[in-house]
Amino acid sequence: MSKLNSPCLLLSKIEWSEWNSLEIDSFSEVPKEPGLYRVRHRTENRDHLEYIGESGDTRRRIQSLARGAYADEMPYRDPHTAAPCLWAVQDNVGSALDVSYTTPPKAEDDQHRKGIEAALIALHRREANCSPTANFGRIIDGYKQSSYSQSDPAYRGGPLASGEDEPNSASGVQPPDWQNWREPLARDWMHLEWSEPYRLAERLNADPPDTGVYRIWYEGQDSTLAYIGESSNISSRLYNHEQTFGGDALFAYAERSDLDASHKRKEIETDCIGAYYLEVGKAPLAQFGHTENIPP
């Protein structure tokens, strides 16, 4: 059984559509309902996915991605942030990109949908030992990433000129080995070395590292996490979180010396969110901007 057909990777309870070419004139068969989608390349030696995404309007989002991926020149990072990378993939490897989608009932809820996306990405990383090519804002080797259209200055990427480099093409980090992944408050959860717990009001006593991931929860709520995050300035981020979660909320952090780039930190953050979703059946309380779920 190939890695991409593993029941663990595909979350066997999700019913995916058949694979169809991303390079078509109409996506009228794709539902407009909230859902998730994945992109692959038909080249035999690419045994990983190119992208996993979610949207409140599945058809519109796939159409946006297709227009960008097959544009005459590399598109901006908006309206679809993965389009520049997939443009580079089809320019470099060939145009044979396929898309598949699913619209499970839970996808109607924004937080659940993003939690499922995190779980799919985390499982893909565990199975394929790498992230989908275009997730986390990355670009492939040999290409410059586009800016957003509203950047100042705005610019379109493309093949790198001789002597140029692109930091967003740097390799990601390998996934953790999922040790003790069912215990989100354990000191060795996801094979990370978590600190002892501190209250947010006592964050200055914790002396956290600049770079790493962290988790926030409330005492007496079993294994329910309120938030999982990443930062290159954890102390500053915790200051902001105290205003949101209150000084009595607990936190712990995990440092890894290899998390020296945003996409690397987001990979580990997503591993943790995805594993949590698979165990608990929902995202941490306030994940993805849902601060209304914070207990009074």
Side-chain angles (χ1 to χ4, degrees):
M1 179 178 291
S2 71
K3 290 179 179 179
L4 291 184
N5 288 329
S6 164
C8 182
L9 172 64
L10 301 180
L11 290 179
S12 57
K13 293 183 180 180
I14 289 181
E15 296 182 1
W16 291 95
S17 73
E18 294 183 357
W19 290 101
N20 292 290
S21 174
L22 190 64
E23 191 180 13
I24 59 177
D25 295 330
S26 173
F27 291 95
S28 59
E29 293 184 359
V30 179
K32 295 178 67 64
E33 284 75 17
L36 301 103
Y37 57 99
R38 54 189 181 164
V39 178
R40 72 176 184 184
H41 199 285
R42 290 195 297 276
T43 301
E44 291 183 0
N45 63 357
R46 294 181 75 84
D47 60 349
H48 59 274
L49 292 175
E50 306 298 335
Y51 186 69
I52 296 173
E54 60 79 26
S55 178
D57 184 333
T58 306
R59 182 194 301 173
R60 182 176 181 180
R61 194 63 172 162
I62 291 175
Q63 286 176 325
S64 175
L65 181 59
R67 282 195 297 268
Y70 292 104
D72 292 336
E73 57 182 338
M74 184 182 285
Y76 292 115
R77 292 185 65 182
D78 52 334
H80 202 301
T81 187
C85 186
L86 293 187
W87 183 95
V89 169
Q90 65 88 15
D91 181 67
N92 181 264
V93 184
S95 62
L97 293 170
D98 292 334
V99 65
S100 174
Y101 57 85
T102 181
T103 55
K106 281 191 174 182
E108 295 179 4
D109 179 273
D110 171 78
Q111 192 177 38
H112 266 296
R113 190 172 66 249
K114 288 179 168 62
I116 295 171
E117 178 192 38
L120 289 169
I121 294 172
L123 286 173
H124 179 280
R125 282 174 44 75
R126 189 176 78 169
E127 289 281 312
N129 205 36
C130 66
S131 296
T133 311
N135 281 97
F136 306 113
R138 296 177 61 233
I139 195 78
I140 63 173
D141 284 339
Y143 289 81
K144 181 177 181 62
Q145 176 68 282
S146 291
S147 72
Y148 290 98
S149 63
Q150 299 302 313
S151 298
D152 186 16
Y155 57 86
R156 294 180 186 271
L160 287 172
S162 177
E164 288 186 324
D165 59 7
E166 169 55 62
N168 282 332
S169 67
S171 298
V173 292
Q174 290 188 338
D177 68 5
W178 287 56
Q179 176 179 315
N180 213 8
W181 68 276
R182 294 184 180 276
E183 300 292 335
L185 291 181
R187 292 286 295 271
D188 62 347
W189 182 49
M190 295 295 286
H191 202 212
L192 297 171
E193 296 181 4
W194 294 93
S195 71
E196 62 181 292
Y198 297 89
R199 297 193 185 278
L200 282 173
E202 302 166 349
R203 68 187 184 282
L204 296 179
N205 298 329
D207 192 26
D210 287 337
T211 299
V213 293
Y214 58 90
R215 58 190 179 186
I216 297 174
W217 71 99
Y218 290 97
E219 196 168 18
Q221 292 218 350
D222 300 323
S223 295
T224 300
L225 293 181
Y227 190 77
I228 297 169
E230 58 79 22
S231 181
S232 60
N233 189 339
I234 292 179
S235 181
S236 175
R237 189 67 60 85
L238 292 175
Y239 170 80
N240 293 329
H241 284 321
E242 183 181 0
Q243 317 308 309
T244 301
F245 295 98
D248 286 337
L250 298 168
F251 76 91
Y253 58 83
E255 181 179 13
R256 274 183 51 162
S257 60
D258 56 352
L259 302 184
D260 56 351
S262 175
H263 68 271
K264 297 178 182 180
R265 294 190 297 274
K266 290 184 183 301
E267 285 177 317
I268 300 301
E269 176 191 46
T270 300
D271 289 332
C272 291
I273 296 171
Y276 182 86
Y277 187 90
L278 289 168
E279 170 60 17
V280 179
K282 58 184 178 181
L285 293 175
Q287 206 73 44
F288 311 122
H290 286 269
T291 55
E292 74 277 4
N293 295 330
I294 297 174

